[in-house]
Amino acid sequence: MILIGEDLNVMSKEISRAVKERDPEPIRRCVVEQTHNGMDYLDLNVGPVAKNPAETMEWLVKTVQEFTDLPLCLDTTNPVAMEAGLKICKKKALVNSASGASESRETMLPLAPKYSAGVVLSVMNDAGLPSDADERASSILDSAAFANELGIPNEDIWIDPVLLPVGVDQRQVVAYLEFIQMIPDLAPGAKSICGLSNLSYGAPRELRGLLNRTFLVMIGRYGQDSAIVSGFDKELIRINRGETPEIVNLIYRAMDEDDIDISSLAQKELEYVKTTQVLMGKTLYSHSWLEV
Amino acid sequence: MIEYEAPLEKYTVNIREAILGKGQKTIKIGGENTFPFHFFEGSLPNPPGLALEILDIQPENWAQWVSEPFRDVVFDRVKWAKKCVEVFGAEVLCLRLLSTDPIGKDASPKEAAEITEKVADAIDVPLIVWGTGTEDKDSQVLAEVARLCSGKNLLLGPVLKGNYREIAKAALEHGHTIVAQASMDANLTKELNIALCKFFPAERIVIDTTASALGYGLEYTFSIIESIKQFALVDRDTMMQMPILADFGGDCWRTKEAKESKEQGILWEAMTGLTFLLAGANLLILRHPEALKLIKEMISE
């Protein structure tokens, strides 16, 4: 799976300060570590950038490109900042993100063909977030057709089904699993992408990685092409590289509801099994799902 | 010709049976292995418990229709309690310790516990004792009630995320049952039950999702109660297999519809209650005796 590192994000106090004060050092550390850990892209989340959007994004893209050769995924809701960044990206960039909503169609989506960039296209539309797999399908068919008309080929479309926190709505997680299996038929050639960490938003901090890693394996099995992930989660990266086949195999068996002899499992293995059961919607989620 | 047979679902687990009260004053709730009123499909050994509520202070701002039946007794909690049981046929009584509200009278845990003991001793039905939902104060009040009424198996609530340790510990020590409350959220309900069951017996827990009146969020309550019952029976989730309480009298009688006319108010409360029974509630706390009567009639048919 293509991994996009999410850690360069103004939600982080340190990064926010660095961007505001144009201090390259924290940026360098964050970029170098994620690159070193093996990310394929780096996400640059600058938020809505109310002040000096163009200049801020320009500075950040330039700074990041001094420290890495990775392609960038520009993450802002501000089209002015987006365009300023796209202009100076050395490699083919990703616009993160556009959607089926009217405003996005008018201001964000046209930037992708203009700068030959790929675009993350979410299933959101003017009505908000579709509630099930079928509604996601009809929304994305509509938005992808519109993108094609703007001259964006399916190959440059990265479909984001929008992953909601498991603690908020478990059924949406199950709907996600259904939907990604439909993507190759809906938009042949398009890729799927998701913000993986959103899955565990609100869960106990020490358990977030477990949810994220388990789900990465599950969606990988269903054909997920890429995910925006923490570039600091080394275990996740190892799993993605195929270095832990026994964990992957165990998660597959839990997905298939194989009869697994719980007593033979090590603690860590048992945690992956329980987590898979929660993410398949077989067990009701609670923050202490590992304790029952 | 092939004879048609309606398909029936079989569930392999039961909702836990909770016992309220002690000795002669006992009722059981829960215990079913199917959905509400599905008598054709499984067994529902215990009818829903129907409680009437009284306050430990004189009611303020109650609609006249709902004050009326109690006008002669609201000055005296024991008389009020006895009237609910002996005249209005309440099978369970709920005593709300509103006097302990820290932003109100702020009565001491000791005072509240003494009142509770008097009321409990005066009636021959199980007693629910309800705090003000203030985590700190309730943990002191309900712990003191538990202590003074040791062995009476009261149903103490609401037990919340922030005070479950203190209240459940006292309830365990003195032999009471508790109501675990998480507002309108199945995940948090499970969370609280998991935390409680680490040291408290599951068969002495009743779930409260918090409940809203018809026209004011009833459908949210319905969905949550219904889904908890589904997790319990279909998914066999042991942390959701506790009987469920619905407490909505206050919410019903706050609505402008209930205040408009007596008949409308009584129907408002009765229909809200019946709806929650259809969702799967095992115990209702009601305010108006006529609403109690109506529900009794409807479910006995």
Side-chain angles (χ1 to χ4, degrees), chain A residues 166-170 281-289 291-292, chain B residues 185-188 190-192 194-195 198 231 235 237-240:
Chain A
V166 64
V168 168
D169 192 348
Q170 216 172 338
K282 301 289 173 203
T283 313
L284 179 67
Y285 174 81
S286 79
H287 294 328
S288 12
W289 81 95
E291 296 170 32
V292 279
Chain B
D185 186 317
N187 301 111
L188 294 179
K190 180 169 179 177
E191 181 81 14
L192 183 54
I194 292 172
K198 284 181 185 161
F231 290 125
D235 296 340
D237 192 322
T238 57
M239 287 299 120
M240 304 302 255

Side-chain angles (χ1 to χ4, degrees), chain B residues 17-30 45-51 89-93 124-128 152-153 155 177 203 206 243 282-284:
Chain B
E17 198 170 60
I19 299 172
L20 313 182
K22 192 82 182 178
Q24 299 292 308
K25 309 177 179 180
T26 297
I27 73 158
K28 290 177 182 172
I29 55 170
N46 302 306
L50 302 176
E91 302 155 357
V92 184
L93 191 77
D124 57 0
V125 298
L127 182 65
I128 305 168
K152 292 188 195 294
N153 191 19
L155 182 59
T177 303
E203 61 278 6
V206 173
N282 301 91
L283 176 61
L284 304 183

